[in-house]
């Protein structure tokens, strides 16, 4: 990243316990827990927006990084393990938190 100052984040492939991969719907979007984000870029765009608690914060942050002139690079050959089940964001607890903030 030192040689590429306009790269705000590096994103890796997320591997779930069953061996399947998880990825955002859009390429080159940050993924919570599988991204390395340049502190300077994060501070410049204001970090994660609390309005998007556990739902769309990665997309919001990525859009603001792009708007600020940064790039997000994705590397399929770097893997991060994630101990959750696919679709785990639809748990009753997540829905309760989501509707409590509306």
């Amino acid at each position: 990243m030192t040689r590429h100052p306009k790269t705000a984040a590096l994103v890796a492939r997320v591997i779930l316990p069953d061996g399947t991969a998880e990825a955002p719907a859009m390429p080159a979007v940050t993924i919570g827990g599988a991204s390395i984000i340049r502190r300077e870029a994060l501070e410049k765009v204001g970090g994660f927006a609390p309005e998007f608690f556990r739902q769309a914060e990665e997309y919001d942050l990525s859009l603001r990084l792009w708007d600020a002139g940064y790039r997000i690079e994705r590397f399929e050959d770097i893997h991060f393990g994630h101990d959750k089940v696919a679709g785990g964001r639809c748990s009753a607890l997540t829905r309760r938190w989501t509707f409590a903030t509306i």
Side-chain angles (χ1 to χ4, degrees):
M1 289 180 73
T2 302
R3 289 185 280 150
H4 302 278
K6 282 300 191 180
T7 298
L10 304 177
V11 182
R13 184 180 186 94
V14 177
I15 305 298
L16 300 175
D18 67 0
T20 61
E22 180 178 64
M26 295 171 52
V29 169
T30 60
I31 301 174
S35 297
I36 299 167
I37 304 172
R38 184 185 301 275
R39 171 178 260 180
E40 171 189 312
L42 194 60
E43 290 172 349
K44 181 176 182 178
V45 300
F48 289 100
E51 306 91 291
F52 294 107
F53 176 74
R54 290 189 64 153
Q55 293 299 320
E57 69 277 8
E58 295 103 336
Y59 291 92
D60 173 69
L61 176 64
S62 298
L63 291 171
R64 288 185 287 120
L65 288 167
W66 294 333
D67 283 345
Y70 289 104
R71 289 190 321 265
I72 298 167
E73 304 289 342
R74 184 170 177 86
F75 292 89
E76 292 293 321
D77 59 333
I78 300 172
H79 296 172
F80 281 65
H82 192 319
D83 291 336
K84 77 166 204 171
V85 294
R89 288 188 172 193
C90 295
S91 70
L93 184 58
T94 300
R95 280 196 298 275
R96 188 183 79 194
W97 281 336
T98 300
F99 292 121
T101 61
I102 295 176

